[in-house]
Amino acid sequence: MVVLVTGANGQLGQSIQFIANKYPNIQFVYTDFQEMDITNLESCQTVFSKYKPQFCINTAAYTAVDKAESESEKAHLINAVGAENLAKVCKEFDTILLHISTDFIFDGTSTSLSLTTGYKETDIPNPQSIYGQTKLDGELAIQKSWEKHFIVRTSWVYSQFANNFMKTMLRLASERDSLSVVNDQIGTPTNAVDLAEVLLTIIQSPITHHPSFFGIYNFSNEGVCSWYDFAKEIFHQKGISIDLQPIPTSAYPTLAKRPTFSVLDKSKIKTTFPIAIADWKTSLKKCLELL
Ligand SMILES: NC(=O)c1ccc[n+]([C@@H]2O[C@H](COP(=O)([O-])OP(=O)(O)OC[C@H]3O[C@@H](n4cnc5c(N)ncnc54)[C@H](OP(=O)(O)O)[C@@H]3O)[C@@H](O)[C@H]2O)c1
């Protein structure tokens, strides 16, 4: 089975490579921006005609949330047009597309009952940022273009690879004695390696080819926390002593507006596929041990 991975140098792309040897029946083809620019349909067609993949995992994305506010065209090109190109080329080659989306498609202000457990796949998106809007546009373009897709929405991704919140906290702790982190944005961290495992579990599942299982799924680690709680746990687990202060979002203004609550309900993915989801603190420990 051939699985083509886009954005192979990003943190999810590298996380897939990290666990790939556990899947000897899969022939992985890793592509980065140079080999396959997802904004260029011809570039995608050339690579697909060479490898004829049964599955494509699209980890490629424009992920600079604040920068997207001033680079909306670029963000749209990669996150929406790029996703649409992949859906089109997957249709041409009858390839199942696994695409990653985000909790930032929600506004985080809803008072709906589902928020007691988190956003469900059926809740109405209302992005508050350019990044969130372009990711939603990507989802919609895929849904319109190619039915054989799994869109996996995730949140607060970190890993031992590339840049992320966990690594930023560790770097700042090595440079400063005190740190302030927002305490009123609530969500769930996701270890990218756990996400990679889930994507490969979906691919290996016997039900994956059945049309009734295509669609949107939520995945993050288990549990709920604020960015402040996340930082506190990172320092606790690493035995780092630092003066860490909780602050409101209003004290840390950013260009892009972020949802105040973006916990994802994972009932659907847990009842559809054979996965056990680790608590975010357990998964963080696993990641920190690898650093
Ligand atoms: N990070 C998070 O907290 C988070 C949260 C929720 C959802 N997600 C979603 O999870 C997915 C994976 O995120 P990640 O954290 O692994 O992102 P990442 O580390 O930023 O990796 C994205 C990769 O895509 C590549 N890329 C950009 N434009 C491309 C193009 N036109 N063609 C091919 N590759 C291109 C980037 O290459 P360059 O570096 O060379 O530009 C980078 O290697 C994304 O869909 C993201 O939206 C992430």
Coordinates of all heavy atoms in Angstrom, one line a residue, residues 89-141:
V89 N -6.8 15.9 -7.4 CA -5.9 14.9 -7.9 C -6.2 13.6 -7.2 O -6.0 12.5 -7.9 CB -4.4 15.4 -7.7 CG1 -4.0 15.3 -6.2 CG2 -3.5 14.7 -8.6
C90 N -6.7 13.6 -6.0 CA -7.1 12.3 -5.3 C -8.2 11.7 -6.1 O -8.3 10.5 -6.3 CB -7.5 12.5 -3.9 SG -6.0 12.7 -2.8
K91 N -9.2 12.5 -6.6 CA -10.3 12.0 -7.4 C -9.8 11.4 -8.7 O -10.2 10.3 -9.1 CB -11.3 13.2 -7.6 CG -12.5 12.7 -8.4 CD -13.5 13.8 -8.5 CE -14.8 13.3 -9.1 NZ -15.8 14.4 -9.3
E92 N -8.9 12.1 -9.3 CA -8.3 11.6 -10.6 C -7.7 10.2 -10.4 O -7.8 9.4 -11.3 CB -7.3 12.6 -11.1 CG -6.9 12.6 -12.5 CD -5.9 13.7 -12.9 OE1 -6.0 14.8 -12.3 OE2 -5.0 13.4 -13.7
F93 N -7.0 10.0 -9.3 CA -6.2 8.8 -9.1 C -7.0 7.8 -8.1 O -6.4 6.8 -7.7 CB -4.8 9.1 -8.6 CG -4.0 9.7 -9.7 CD1 -4.0 11.1 -9.9 CD2 -3.1 8.9 -10.4 CE1 -3.2 11.6 -10.9 CE2 -2.3 9.4 -11.4 CZ -2.4 10.8 -11.7
D94 N -8.2 8.1 -7.8 CA -9.0 7.3 -6.8 C -8.2 7.0 -5.5 O -8.1 5.9 -5.0 CB -9.4 6.0 -7.5 CG -10.6 5.3 -6.6 OD1 -11.3 6.1 -5.9 OD2 -10.7 4.1 -6.7
T95 N -7.7 8.1 -5.0 CA -6.9 8.0 -3.7 C -7.7 8.6 -2.6 O -8.4 9.6 -2.7 CB -5.6 9.0 -3.9 OG1 -4.9 8.5 -5.0 CG2 -4.7 8.9 -2.7
I96 N -7.7 7.9 -1.4 CA -8.4 8.4 -0.3 C -7.5 9.5 0.4 O -6.4 9.3 0.6 CB -8.7 7.2 0.7 CG1 -9.6 6.2 0.1 CG2 -9.2 7.8 2.0 CD1 -9.9 5.0 0.9
L97 N -8.2 10.6 0.6 CA -7.5 11.8 1.2 C -7.7 11.9 2.7 O -8.9 11.9 3.1 CB -8.0 13.1 0.5 CG -7.4 14.4 1.0 CD1 -5.9 14.5 0.9 CD2 -8.1 15.6 0.2
L98 N -6.6 12.0 3.4 CA -6.7 12.3 4.9 C -6.2 13.7 5.0 O -5.0 14.0 4.7 CB -5.9 11.4 5.7 CG -6.6 10.0 5.9 CD1 -6.3 9.1 4.8 CD2 -6.1 9.3 7.2
H99 N -7.0 14.6 5.5 CA -6.6 16.0 5.6 C -6.8 16.5 7.0 O -7.7 16.1 7.7 CB -7.6 16.8 4.7 CG -7.4 18.3 4.8 ND1 -6.4 19.0 4.1 CD2 -8.2 19.3 5.4 CE1 -6.5 20.3 4.4 NE2 -7.6 20.5 5.2
I100 N -5.9 17.4 7.4 CA -5.9 17.9 8.8 C -6.5 19.3 8.9 O -6.1 20.2 8.2 CB -4.5 17.9 9.5 CG1 -3.7 16.7 9.0 CG2 -4.6 18.0 11.0 CD1 -4.3 15.3 9.4
S101 N -7.5 19.4 9.8 CA -8.0 20.7 10.1 C -7.9 21.1 11.5 O -7.2 20.4 12.3 CB -9.5 20.8 9.6 OG -9.9 22.2 9.5
T102 N -8.6 22.1 11.9 CA -8.2 22.8 13.2 C -9.4 23.2 14.1 O -10.5 23.5 13.5 CB -7.4 24.0 12.9 OG1 -7.2 24.8 14.1 CG2 -8.1 25.0 11.9
D103 N -9.2 23.2 15.4 CA -10.2 23.8 16.3 C -10.5 25.3 16.1 O -11.5 25.8 16.5 CB -9.8 23.6 17.8 CG -8.4 24.1 18.0 OD1 -7.6 24.2 17.1 OD2 -8.1 24.5 19.2
F104 N -9.6 25.9 15.4 CA -9.7 27.4 15.1 C -10.8 27.7 14.1 O -11.0 28.9 13.8 CB -8.4 28.0 14.7 CG -7.4 28.2 15.9 CD1 -7.6 27.6 17.1 CD2 -6.4 29.2 15.8 CE1 -6.7 27.8 18.1 CE2 -5.5 29.4 16.8 CZ -5.7 28.7 18.0
I105 N -11.5 26.7 13.6 CA -12.6 27.0 12.7 C -13.8 27.4 13.6 O -14.8 27.9 13.1 CB -13.0 25.8 11.8 CG1 -13.4 24.6 12.7 CG2 -11.9 25.4 10.9 CD1 -14.3 23.6 11.9
F106 N -13.8 27.1 14.9 CA -14.9 27.5 15.8 C -14.6 28.8 16.5 O -13.4 29.2 16.7 CB -15.0 26.4 16.9 CG -15.5 25.1 16.3 CD1 -14.7 24.0 16.4 CD2 -16.7 25.0 15.7 CE1 -15.1 22.8 15.8 CE2 -17.2 23.8 15.2 CZ -16.3 22.7 15.2
D107 N -15.7 29.5 16.9 CA -15.5 30.8 17.6 C -15.2 30.7 19.1 O -14.7 31.6 19.7 CB -16.6 31.8 17.3 CG -18.0 31.2 17.7 OD1 -18.0 30.4 18.6 OD2 -19.0 31.7 17.2
G108 N -15.6 29.5 19.6 CA -15.3 29.3 21.0 C -16.1 30.1 22.0 O -15.9 30.1 23.2
T109 N -17.2 30.6 21.4 CA -18.1 31.5 22.3 C -19.5 30.9 22.4 O -20.3 31.4 23.1 CB -18.2 32.9 21.8 OG1 -18.8 32.8 20.4 CG2 -16.9 33.6 21.7
S110 N -19.7 29.8 21.8 CA -21.0 29.2 21.8 C -21.4 28.8 23.2 O -20.6 28.3 24.0 CB -21.1 28.0 20.8 OG -22.3 27.3 21.0
T111 N -22.7 28.8 23.4 CA -23.2 28.4 24.7 C -24.0 27.1 24.6 O -24.8 26.7 25.4 CB -24.1 29.4 25.4 OG1 -25.1 29.8 24.5 CG2 -23.3 30.6 25.8
S112 N -23.8 26.4 23.4 CA -24.6 25.2 23.1 C -24.2 24.1 24.1 O -23.1 24.1 24.7 CB -24.3 24.7 21.7 OG -23.2 23.9 21.7
L113 N -25.1 23.2 24.3 CA -24.9 22.1 25.3 C -23.7 21.3 25.0 O -23.1 20.7 25.9 CB -26.2 21.3 25.4 CG -27.3 21.8 26.2 CD1 -28.5 20.9 26.2 CD2 -26.9 22.1 27.6
S114 N -23.4 21.2 23.7 CA -22.3 20.3 23.3 C -20.9 20.8 23.9 O -20.0 20.0 24.0 CB -22.1 20.3 21.8 OG -21.7 21.5 21.3
L115 N -20.9 22.0 24.4 CA -19.7 22.5 25.0 C -19.4 21.9 26.3 O -18.3 22.1 26.9 CB -19.7 24.1 25.0 CG -19.6 24.7 23.7 CD1 -19.4 26.2 23.9 CD2 -18.5 24.2 22.9
T116 N -20.3 21.2 26.9 CA -20.0 20.5 28.1 C -19.0 19.4 27.9 O -18.2 19.1 28.7 CB -21.3 19.9 28.8 OG1 -21.9 19.1 27.8 CG2 -22.2 21.0 29.3
T117 N -19.0 18.8 26.6 CA -18.0 17.8 26.3 C -17.0 18.3 25.2 O -16.0 17.7 24.9 CB -18.7 16.5 25.8 OG1 -19.6 16.9 24.7 CG2 -19.4 15.8 26.9
G118 N -17.4 19.4 24.6 CA -16.5 19.9 23.5 C -17.3 20.0 22.2 O -18.4 19.5 22.1
Y119 N -16.7 20.6 21.2 CA -17.3 20.8 19.9 C -17.5 19.4 19.2 O -16.5 18.7 19.1 CB -16.5 21.7 19.0 CG -16.8 23.2 19.3 CD1 -15.8 23.9 20.0 CD2 -17.9 23.8 18.8 CE1 -16.0 25.3 20.3 CE2 -18.1 25.2 19.1 CZ -17.2 25.9 19.8 OH -17.4 27.2 20.0
K120 N -18.7 19.2 18.7 CA -18.9 18.0 17.9 C -18.6 18.3 16.4 O -18.6 19.5 16.1 CB -20.3 17.5 18.1 CG -20.6 16.9 19.4 CD -22.0 16.2 19.3 CE -22.5 15.8 20.7 NZ -21.7 15.6 21.8
E121 N -18.4 17.3 15.6 CA -18.1 17.4 14.2 C -19.3 18.2 13.5 O -19.1 18.8 12.5 CB -17.9 16.1 13.5 CG -16.6 15.4 13.9 CD -16.7 14.6 15.2 OE1 -17.6 14.8 16.0 OE2 -15.7 13.9 15.5
T122 N -20.5 18.1 14.1 CA -21.7 18.7 13.5 C -21.9 20.1 13.9 O -22.8 20.8 13.4 CB -22.9 17.8 13.8 OG1 -22.9 17.6 15.2 CG2 -22.9 16.5 13.0
D123 N -21.2 20.6 14.9 CA -21.4 22.0 15.3 C -21.0 23.0 14.2 O -20.1 22.7 13.4 CB -20.5 22.3 16.6 CG -21.2 21.7 17.8 OD1 -22.5 21.6 17.8 OD2 -20.5 21.2 18.7
I124 N -21.6 24.1 14.2 CA -21.5 25.1 13.2 C -20.2 25.9 13.3 O -20.0 26.5 14.4 CB -22.6 26.1 13.1 CG1 -24.0 25.4 13.1 CG2 -22.5 27.1 11.9 CD1 -24.3 24.6 11.9
P125 N -19.3 25.8 12.3 CA -18.0 26.6 12.4 C -18.3 28.1 12.3 O -19.2 28.5 11.7 CB -17.2 26.1 11.2 CG -17.9 24.9 10.7 CD -19.3 25.0 11.1
N126 N -17.4 28.9 12.9 CA -17.5 30.3 12.8 C -16.1 30.9 13.1 O -15.9 31.4 14.2 CB -18.5 30.9 13.8 CG -18.7 32.4 13.7 OD1 -18.4 33.0 12.6 ND2 -19.1 33.1 14.7
P127 N -15.2 30.7 12.1 CA -13.8 31.1 12.4 C -13.7 32.6 12.7 O -14.4 33.4 12.2 CB -13.1 30.8 11.0 CG -14.1 30.2 10.2 CD -15.4 30.3 10.7
Q128 N -12.7 32.9 13.6 CA -12.5 34.3 14.1 C -11.2 34.9 13.5 O -10.9 36.0 13.8 CB -12.4 34.3 15.6 CG -13.7 33.8 16.3 CD -14.9 34.8 16.0 OE1 -14.8 35.9 16.4 NE2 -15.9 34.3 15.3
S129 N -10.5 34.0 12.7 CA -9.2 34.5 12.2 C -9.1 34.1 10.7 O -9.8 33.2 10.2 CB -8.1 33.8 13.0 OG -8.1 32.4 12.8
I130 N -8.2 34.7 10.0 CA -7.9 34.4 8.6 C -7.5 32.9 8.5 O -7.9 32.2 7.7 CB -6.8 35.3 8.0 CG1 -7.2 36.8 8.1 CG2 -6.4 34.8 6.6 CD1 -8.2 37.2 7.1
Y131 N -6.6 32.5 9.4 CA -6.1 31.1 9.4 C -7.3 30.2 9.5 O -7.5 29.2 8.8 CB -5.1 30.9 10.6 CG -4.8 29.4 10.9 CD1 -4.0 28.7 10.0 CD2 -5.4 28.8 12.0 CE1 -3.7 27.4 10.3 CE2 -5.1 27.5 12.2 CZ -4.3 26.8 11.4 OH -4.0 25.4 11.6
G132 N -8.2 30.4 10.5 CA -9.3 29.6 10.8 C -10.2 29.5 9.5 O -10.8 28.5 9.1
Q133 N -10.4 30.7 8.9 CA -11.3 30.8 7.7 C -10.7 30.0 6.6 O -11.4 29.3 5.9 CB -11.5 32.3 7.3 CG -12.5 32.5 6.2 CD -13.9 32.0 6.5 OE1 -14.5 32.4 7.5 NE2 -14.4 31.1 5.7
T134 N -9.4 30.1 6.4 CA -8.8 29.4 5.2 C -8.8 27.9 5.5 O -9.0 27.1 4.5 CB -7.3 29.9 5.0 OG1 -6.5 29.6 6.1 CG2 -7.3 31.4 4.6
K135 N -8.7 27.5 6.7 CA -8.8 26.0 7.0 C -10.2 25.5 6.8 O -10.4 24.4 6.3 CB -8.3 25.8 8.4 CG -6.8 26.0 8.7 CD -5.9 25.0 7.9 CE -6.0 23.6 8.4 NZ -5.0 22.7 7.6
L136 N -11.2 26.4 7.2 CA -12.6 26.0 6.9 C -12.8 25.9 5.4 O -13.5 25.0 4.9 CB -13.5 26.9 7.6 CG -15.0 26.7 7.3 CD1 -15.4 25.3 7.9 CD2 -15.9 27.7 8.0
D137 N -12.3 26.9 4.7 CA -12.5 26.9 3.2 C -11.8 25.6 2.6 O -12.4 25.1 1.6 CB -11.8 28.2 2.6 CG -12.5 29.4 3.0 OD1 -13.7 29.4 3.4 OD2 -11.9 30.5 2.8
G138 N -10.7 25.2 3.2 CA -10.1 24.0 2.7 C -11.0 22.8 2.9 O -11.2 21.9 2.0
E139 N -11.6 22.7 4.1 CA -12.5 21.6 4.4 C -13.7 21.6 3.4 O -14.0 20.5 2.8 CB -13.2 21.8 5.8 CG -12.3 21.5 7.0 CD -13.1 21.5 8.3 OE1 -14.3 21.5 8.2 OE2 -12.5 21.5 9.3
L140 N -14.3 22.8 3.2 CA -15.4 22.8 2.3 C -15.0 22.5 0.8 O -15.8 21.8 0.1 CB -16.0 24.3 2.3 CG -16.6 24.7 3.7 CD1 -17.0 26.1 3.7 CD2 -17.8 23.8 4.1
A141 N -13.8 22.9 0.4 CA -13.4 22.6 -1.0 C -13.2 21.1 -1.1 O -13.6 20.5 -2.2 CB -12.1 23.3 -1.2

